[in-house]
Amino acid sequence: MKVEATNPAVEFHDLTVSYDKKPVLWNIDMTLPQGALIGIVGPNGAGKSTLIKAAMGLLPLGSGYVRLFNQSLDEVRHRVSYVPQRESVDWDFPTSVLDVVLMGRYGKLGLFRRPSNTDKEIAMNCLKKVGMEAFTKRQISQLSGGQQQRVFLARALAQEADIYFMDEPFAGVDAATESALLGILQGLAKEGKTVVVVHHDLQSAAEFFDWIVLLNLRLVACGPIKDVFTNKLLQDTYGGKLTVLAEVGELVKNREIPSREKY
Amino acid sequence: MDAFYIIATASLFAISCSILGAFLILRKMAMVGDAISHAVLPGIVIAFLFTGSRDSITMIIGAGILGVFTTFLIEFFHRRARLQADAAIGVTFTWLFALGVIMVSLFAGQIDIDQDCVLYGEIAYVPLDLWISESGINFGPRALYVASGILIINLIFLFIGYKQLYITTFDPQYAATIGVGVTLWNYLLMGSVSMTTVAAFESVGAILIVALMVVPSACAYLLTQRLEQMILLGVLISIFISVVGYYLAAMIDGSIAGGIVTVSGCLFLMILLTQVLKKRGAKTTVSSPENLG
């Protein structure tokens, strides 16, 4: 099951990625549409993070290529933004919330220029969008998990990119943050930006995304959620181990998704 | 005047070390500084054998190359051979240092370097090695000029590269995605560490250099939550320990480098203690009943 996007923002062509000669992604070949909120879903170790790292040029490719807006990454780097996993940095680092968000401007500044007042204004606006304007001067170690994730999102927003690759932005955040983040991502998609999110929770995936990529070392399926979130394809992805999958598939079909338990 | 020369030289070297050390600590690479400071020894010997001169610039270049090579080897063992980072460091620098020690003893007749000098240095000799021009004008101690030159280079490096060093230290993956050369800046930093180490080793010695790289920045790290302030505080602490360390050594008639590092260690303990007490104090105020209501 594979649906090609009519107006692709991202194209993966025969992509294979290996760690230590052991392939972790096989022959990924797909296109992702512009202006959509796209979820990459699959079990642990399926290569979800690897896929977006490969797209961002962080890993050497075994074979194949990735093109963004039909150009190579180096040509469109300023239009692409990456949100790494929250755990990938040391949150005890001596720096403030505003300084982290200002990093989003560095790509545009080049080697010698320092962030200007305009850059600071943009950073402040992005902090406002994620509801963190009260924490500008705060040292980053004093933030909760959800707040850290908001700061990372603000940094990505400050890049003013057209494609966003996000690695598990919803992992370990509270319900309030989750809905705030989702609102922002949906807003971006509405503006015509492409948002690609690695996500591990199936139930909420059904709620969040317009377009789904089902991944388990190889590409199981990709396309609009109504075509892809089916019983059979989910079982193909997860190996049929989760019986709950069946219900999720049904729910999606009818788009009758109950509001999930808020904790 | 001698006291001034010694303190000034020590301070200038300590400042250079603390600036670089701030980034090393935050990259969790403090021990790479240690590794480089030892591994440059063969570079110094080779540079001497090739050029036959013992002037600082030849040695700095020789050691600089070896320092970057050390970094490269560590990265190589760590990434390609899948060795743990600390084991990679341990293998690389002990081996290179041993190579250097053997070379020193092998060519002992030709080289005016002895192992004691390499390991411990002797900053008390700074006022003896004067730079006197051909016309006989005395410009003061040579080491003072080397120390100033190195500090200027490090300050220029910091000024130009601050943004890049900051972002590649905090989040190297993200830095790579916005097009910052993570590997390049890593090697530039390690090159500066090598250069600074070798310039300072004659005065302070290979072992104590490590203390200057780590301890002032570690003190500053405990005291502040901003990178700029951490670097600035590191500089102030460097000057402080140089002055106090010198007078401590003068008082007990001991090694000056030893005095400086002893003072820095005591300072670190004091700061740590006050921080712990402060935190405990903060906790008790929060949990005391009148604040809860």
Side-chain angles (χ1 to χ4, degrees):
Chain A
M1 173 75 219
K2 203 170 85 180
V3 178
E4 298 290 347
T6 45
N7 184 15
V10 189
E11 181 197 357
F12 292 88
H13 183 83
D14 267 339
L15 188 79
T16 301
V17 181
S18 323
Y19 283 126
D20 273 345
K21 289 180 186 159
K22 185 179 143 238
V24 286
L25 280 179
W26 286 91
N27 283 341
I28 307 294
D29 197 288
M30 64 177 176
T31 48
L32 302 176
Q34 236 174 81
L37 187 48
I38 300 156
I40 301 179
V41 179
N44 288 334
K48 303 186 293 281
S49 299
T50 307
L51 184 68
I52 63 169
K53 278 185 189 162
M56 289 306 309
L58 291 173
L59 295 171
L61 307 183
S63 71
Y65 58 80
V66 182
R67 288 179 80 75
L68 308 159
F69 300 115
N70 211 16
Q71 282 169 303
S72 73
L73 173 67
D74 281 324
E75 292 169 288
V76 289
R77 208 177 271 285
H78 59 285
R79 295 178 66 189
V80 190
S81 174
Y82 173 63
V83 180
Q85 272 180 32
R86 191 154 49 83
E87 295 80 24
S88 67
V89 304
D90 173 14
W91 288 94
D92 283 330
F93 198 92
T95 190
S96 70
V97 166
L98 183 64
D99 283 345
V100 172
V101 177
L102 273 174
M103 281 183 200
R105 306 298 302 162
Y106 282 14
K108 292 199 165 54
L109 288 176
L111 182 57
F112 292 104
R113 284 218 330 265
R114 266 146 222 286
S116 66
N117 282 336
T118 330
D119 291 316
K120 281 183 188 140
E121 260 169 47
I122 293 171
M124 278 306 292
N125 271 334
C126 296
L127 277 169
K128 243 176 235 153
K129 276 185 209 158
V130 300
M132 289 287 289
E133 70 271 31
F135 297 85
T136 351
K137 295 258 178 281
R138 192 71 71 91
Q139 207 253 330
I140 55 169
S141 67
Q142 296 165 2
L143 302 176
S144 71
Q147 289 169 334
Q148 291 172 353
Q149 199 63 62
R150 286 168 190 242
V151 170
F152 261 15
L153 181 61
R155 180 176 71 173
L157 292 176
Q159 276 180 263
E160 300 177 320
D162 295 316
I163 303 183
Y164 294 83
F165 288 101
M166 307 192 179
D167 204 343
E168 300 265 16
F170 297 107
V173 304
D174 53 278
T177 301
E178 186 180 279
S179 63
L181 292 185
L182 182 65
I184 293 165
L185 301 193
Q186 283 166 339
L188 285 172
K190 236 175 235 140
E191 287 170 36
K193 320 252 178 192
T194 309
V195 186
V196 184
V197 178
V198 167
H199 196 63
H200 69 282
D201 181 45
L202 271 181
Q203 295 217 356
S204 52
E207 238 178 300
F208 290 176
F209 302 112
D210 322 319
W211 189 280
I212 291 274
V213 176
L214 289 178
L215 196 70
N216 194 352
L217 303 181
R218 61 197 175 82
L219 181 67
V220 178
C222 76
I225 189 158
K226 61 177 179 358
D227 300 328
V228 170
F229 241 51
T230 63
N231 226 335
K232 180 170 176 314
L233 288 173
L234 285 171
Q235 290 204 342
D236 282 353
T237 315
Y238 285 83
K241 269 178 271 172
L242 306 169
T243 43
V244 66
L245 291 179
E247 294 159 38
V248 174
E250 280 305 305
L251 285 172
V252 175
K253 209 180 264 168
N254 308 321
R255 270 279 176 177
E256 284 171 2
I257 299 139
S259 61
R260 288 176 320 115
E261 250 181 282
K262 301 291 180 200
Y263 29 91
Chain B
M1 205 58 194
D2 282 2
F4 170 77
Y5 283 146
I6 294 172
I7 292 173
T9 309
S11 305
L12 292 174
F13 278 135
I15 292 169
S16 287
C17 288
S18 77
I19 290 172
L20 299 170
F23 291 104
L24 288 179
I25 287 183
L26 293 173
R27 285 166 179 248
K28 305 186 173 50
M29 287 173 100
M31 291 332 271
V32 173
D34 184 12
I36 288 178
S37 66
H38 287 67
V40 292
L41 184 56
I44 294 166
V45 181
I46 292 168
F48 179 81
L49 284 177
F50 267 103
T51 62
S53 85
R54 224 181 118 250
D55 77 82
S56 304
I57 293 170
T58 325
M59 298 221 168
I60 289 174
I61 293 170
I65 294 170
L66 240 284
V68 174
F69 178 65
T70 311
T71 325
F72 170 77
L73 271 188
I74 293 172
E75 291 278 309
F76 181 81
F77 288 145
H78 179 44
R79 294 201 196 284
R80 292 298 146 95
R82 300 249 150 209
L83 204 60
Q84 283 83 352
D86 50 352
I89 293 173
V91 170
T92 313
F93 90 87
T94 48
W95 178 69
L96 284 172
F97 185 65
L99 211 64
V101 170
I102 286 196
M103 285 165 105
V104 170
S105 52
L106 209 61
F107 303 110
Q110 302 161 42
I111 303 182
D112 180 23
I113 310 175
D114 71 277
Q115 288 155 37
D116 272 359
C117 155
V118 170
L119 286 177
Y120 307 118
E122 190 43 83
I123 203 167
Y125 295 156
V126 162
L128 302 180
D129 184 14
L130 296 171
W131 180 25
I132 298 166
S133 75
E134 278 166 28
S135 51
I137 308 165
N138 183 351
F139 288 104
R142 201 185 296 268
L144 195 57
Y145 287 96
V146 176
S148 317
I150 293 290
L151 180 58
I152 289 167
I153 294 174
N154 278 320
L155 285 176
I156 292 172
F157 178 55
L158 180 73
F159 189 72
I160 294 176
Y162 179 78
K163 249 176 23 210
Q164 277 73 15
L165 286 169
Y166 164 57
I167 192 170
T168 54
T169 304
F170 175 66
D171 194 346
Q173 278 194 355
Y174 180 79
T177 66
I178 62 167
V180 177
V182 178
T183 320
L184 173 73
W185 285 98
N186 188 34
Y187 282 123
L188 284 176
L189 177 64
M190 292 310 155
S192 307
V193 171
S194 316
M195 181 191 79
T196 307
T197 303
V198 80
F201 100 118
E202 260 186 298
S203 316
V204 213
I207 297 177
L208 301 184
I209 264 290
V210 185
L212 293 185
M213 290 251 170
V214 180
V215 185
S217 299
C219 293
Y221 178 80
L222 292 178
L223 287 172
T224 174
Q225 299 180 329
R226 298 293 296 273
L227 180 55
E228 311 93 70
Q229 288 172 9
M230 179 175 161
I231 294 173
L232 202 68
L233 269 174
V235 168
L236 295 178
I237 290 171
S238 298
I239 298 170
F240 174 80
I241 59 170
S242 303
V243 175
V244 179
Y246 173 81
Y247 284 109
L248 174 74
M251 208 169 68
I252 60 171
D253 198 16
S255 151
I256 297 167
I260 291 172
V261 177
T262 308
V263 170
S264 69
C266 295
L267 185 67
F268 177 79
L269 282 179
M270 265 156 55
I271 292 173
L272 189 67
L273 204 66
T274 44
Q275 294 289 321
V276 170
L277 289 178
K278 217 160 113 197
K279 263 186 203 143
R280 191 166 293 169
K283 260 180 207 153
T284 37
T285 27
V286 169
S287 57
S288 65
E290 56 264 45
N291 285 333
L292 280 177

